[in-house]
């Protein structure tokens, strides 16, 4: 069950607002450390997606105690979603993994289905998984 399903989208948004306010009240040094840490995590995840390293990504998420479903919408690699970024580098294995485990709402909201459609990729393994999950 995702955070959205457990708490509802409005509650999750409220939690994010509270987190943002908390960050504003933090000393500047703590804010910088938090920003640096999240940037490092994003860079590591994007690198693993580019390198088609599913096992390393799974290990990193377990190490950080994060779930892919909870972070997918917030991670952008070169202004692309993780699936789009992975496919841009022909990282098919990780794109299949991502397509299989990301929330369906995130697949739609991130523009993955439209991105795949525009590039005639809906008949690829990733496209079939996304299509099946979104339309079923």
């Amino acid at each position: 069950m995702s955070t959205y399903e457990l708490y509802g989208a409005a509650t999750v948004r409220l939690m994010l607002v509270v987190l943002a306010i908390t960050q504003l009240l933090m000393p500047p040094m703590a804010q910088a450390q938090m920003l640096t840490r999240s940037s490092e995590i994003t860079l590591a995840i994007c690198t693993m997606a580019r390198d088609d390293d599913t096992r390393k990504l799974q290990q990193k998420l377990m190490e950080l105690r994060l779930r892919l479903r909870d972070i997918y919408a917030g991670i952008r690699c070169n202004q692309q979603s993780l699936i789009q970024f992975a496919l841009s580098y022909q990282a098919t294995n990780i794109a299949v993994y991502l397509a299989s485990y990301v929330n369906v709402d995130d697949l739609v909201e991130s523009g993955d289905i439209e991105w795949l459609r525009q590039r005639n990729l809906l008949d690829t393994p990733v496209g079939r998984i996304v299509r099946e999950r979104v339309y079923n």
Side-chain angles (χ1 to χ4, degrees):
M1 181 176 283
S2 73
T3 304
Y4 282 95
E5 293 168 344
L6 184 61
Y7 297 110
T11 304
V12 172
R13 286 188 191 107
L14 178 61
M15 291 166 64
L16 291 173
V17 168
V18 169
L19 180 62
I21 291 170
T22 303
Q23 289 177 355
L24 290 174
L25 298 175
M26 289 174 131
M29 187 60 152
Q31 288 178 18
Q33 288 172 342
M34 185 180 233
L35 182 60
T36 300
R37 174 103 171 115
S38 65
S39 296
E40 289 171 1
I41 291 168
T42 299
L43 179 60
I45 290 172
C46 291
T47 301
M48 290 170 217
R50 181 199 65 204
D51 294 345
D52 206 13
D53 200 337
T54 305
R55 193 174 127 264
K56 233 183 207 178
L57 176 62
Q58 291 169 330
Q59 289 174 338
K60 188 66 165 178
L61 291 173
M62 283 180 22
E63 172 191 321
L64 296 170
R65 296 184 177 170
L66 296 171
R67 292 185 334 165
L68 182 62
R69 293 172 179 230
D70 296 335
I71 64 167
Y72 183 80
I75 294 187
R76 301 304 264 176
C77 307
N78 294 345
Q79 290 80 41
Q80 295 178 310
S81 74
L82 278 171
I83 290 175
Q84 295 166 15
F85 183 74
L87 289 175
S88 296
Y89 284 91
Q90 289 80 43
T92 308
N93 294 328
I94 203 155
V96 165
Y97 169 75
L98 294 167
S100 299
Y101 290 101
V102 170
N103 282 329
V104 174
D105 292 342
D106 289 339
L107 288 172
V108 174
E109 290 173 18
S110 66
D112 289 333
I113 190 90
E114 188 58 35
W115 189 87
L116 290 165
R117 180 179 293 118
Q118 289 173 352
R119 286 156 182 78
N120 296 318
L121 296 173
L122 288 175
D123 288 325
T124 64
V126 175
R128 283 191 291 275
I129 292 169
V130 170
R131 205 175 55 221
E132 182 180 310
R133 293 193 66 221
V134 169
Y135 297 121
N136 290 332

